[in-house]
Amino acid sequence: MSGIWIFGYGSLIWRPAMAFRTSRVARLAGWTRRFWQGSHDHRGLPHAPGRVVTLVAAPQASCDGLAYLVDRDVVETVFRNLDHREKNGYERHAVRLTFRDGGVVDAIVYIAAVGNHAWLGPAGDEEMVRQICQAAGPSGANIDYLNDLAAALRDLEIKDPHVFRLESMARAFMARQEGGDGHTIRQASSKL
């Protein structure tokens, strides 16, 4: 095929915003999805970053997502747009994917490496949930990112205990906030 595969494991799953020929569910071995990357430009602000996913090396793990086949005649434009979208600490990496329905292919994935300028790293689940529920930026509330990712994974029948645990905890956190003052943190943060 005359094209390049690009692997999406976060917002690219539900909002690819690029021209592609086809998409397929694929698995990347040796990596796991974690809400350890700061978002100062999309789902948070420089003084109050949100949390978004990156991939963290984990030899016994794997990460499922969507692989997009991009035609060579538009790949330069696609990469220019993705480089801008993923500018807050992400870099391109060449990887090998296995498709859910069989087959192996080389692909490009954007990973925010440990120690990049926006790296937040691991934290307790409650701390991450609080930050996600309170952060908002130019692309919207951070909680919407979490909920959209969880919904997209479910639609694709992809299991991710980390994402689903944070989603469940965030739902409980938001319910407590709504009960306390009559409006949600999400509504308040969307006015930032």
Side-chain angles (χ1 to χ4, degrees):
M1 286 189 175
S2 64
I4 293 176
W5 288 94
I6 297 173
F7 183 61
Y9 58 89
S11 63
L12 286 180
I13 295 176
W14 77 87
R15 195 176 65 81
M18 64 178 149
F20 61 93
R21 187 185 319 162
T22 188
S23 64
R24 296 170 68 182
V25 175
R27 173 169 288 170
L28 176 58
W31 297 86
T32 190
R33 181 179 13 240
R34 290 291 181 261
F35 271 87
W36 291 359
Q37 177 66 3
S39 178
H40 304 90
D41 58 344
H42 287 296
R43 298 297 180 153
L45 300 170
H47 67 280
R51 278 187 177 264
V52 292
V53 292
T54 187
L55 295 177
V56 178
Q60 304 304 315
S62 62
C63 177
D64 290 353
L66 271 183
Y68 299 93
L69 180 59
V70 175
D71 288 327
R72 288 201 181 274
D73 61 344
V74 296
V75 77
E76 185 177 323
T77 300
V78 167
F79 277 134
R80 186 171 45 253
N81 293 337
L82 286 175
D83 288 348
H84 177 74
R85 177 176 173 171
E86 307 295 343
K87 69 183 182 290
N88 199 32
Y90 292 84
E91 297 176 346
R92 292 187 213 169
H93 294 265
V95 294
R96 180 154 281 211
L97 304 175
T98 303
F99 293 122
R100 178 186 280 171
D101 55 3
V104 176
V105 69
D106 292 324
I108 299 297
V109 64
Y110 285 80
I111 299 173
V114 175
N116 74 77
H117 71 276
W119 179 255
L120 294 176
D125 287 350
E126 289 182 10
E127 179 183 340
M128 286 192 288
V129 164
R130 190 176 315 107
Q131 186 172 3
I132 290 168
C133 288
Q134 294 175 338
S139 296
N142 200 178
I143 185 69
D144 291 343
Y145 176 100
L146 170 59
N147 290 335
D148 289 344
L149 177 56
L153 294 177
R154 279 194 190 86
D155 287 346
L156 295 169
E157 299 179 352
I158 294 173
K159 296 178 181 172
D160 190 311
H162 174 73
V163 173
F164 295 154
R165 184 177 62 252
L166 294 180
E167 176 200 31
S168 176
M169 292 177 68
R171 190 178 305 119
F173 179 90
M174 297 300 282
R176 286 193 305 273
Q177 297 304 309
E178 288 171 351
D181 63 5
H183 74 285
T184 66
I185 292 290
R186 179 174 162 187
Q187 289 169 333
S189 66
S190 69
K191 296 177 184 173
L192 294 178

